[in-house]
Amino acid sequence: MSLLYLDGPVIIFGAPALALGVWALVGGVLRARDWMAAVAVLLVLTAVAWGCGEWLEMRTDRFSGDSL
C-alpha cells in the first residue's frame, strides 16, 4: 500500500519538482547558462534514479532461478 500512498506520489510529483528546482537554482540563482542548468538537472535526476533503484533493491527480494 505504500506504493499507492507514498512511493507513487513522491515519484510522480517529486521528480518534476526536483528538476524544476534544480533548473531554477542553477539557471536563475547562480546565473549559469541554459546548457549548464540542463546538465545539472540530468545529473541530479540520474543520481535520484540510481538512489531509487538501490532503495527498491533493498525492499524487494532478488530474482533467483532456484525456484524452478
Side-chain angles (χ1 to χ4, degrees):
M1 292 302 288
S2 73
L3 178 64
L4 182 62
Y5 295 114
L6 179 67
D7 306 338
V10 167
I11 292 170
I12 292 171
F13 298 115
L18 182 65
L20 289 172
V22 169
W23 185 277
L25 177 69
V26 174
V29 175
L30 300 177
R31 306 269 186 227
R33 299 189 185 272
D34 284 343
W35 68 269
M36 293 173 123
V39 168
V41 167
L42 287 175
L43 289 174
V44 166
L45 289 179
T46 301
V48 167
W50 174 80
C52 287
E54 291 293 317
W55 173 82
L56 181 63
E57 188 175 323
M58 283 189 332
R59 289 182 54 115
T60 58
D61 293 330
R62 289 187 170 182
F63 173 75
S64 65
D66 297 335
S67 62
L68 297 173

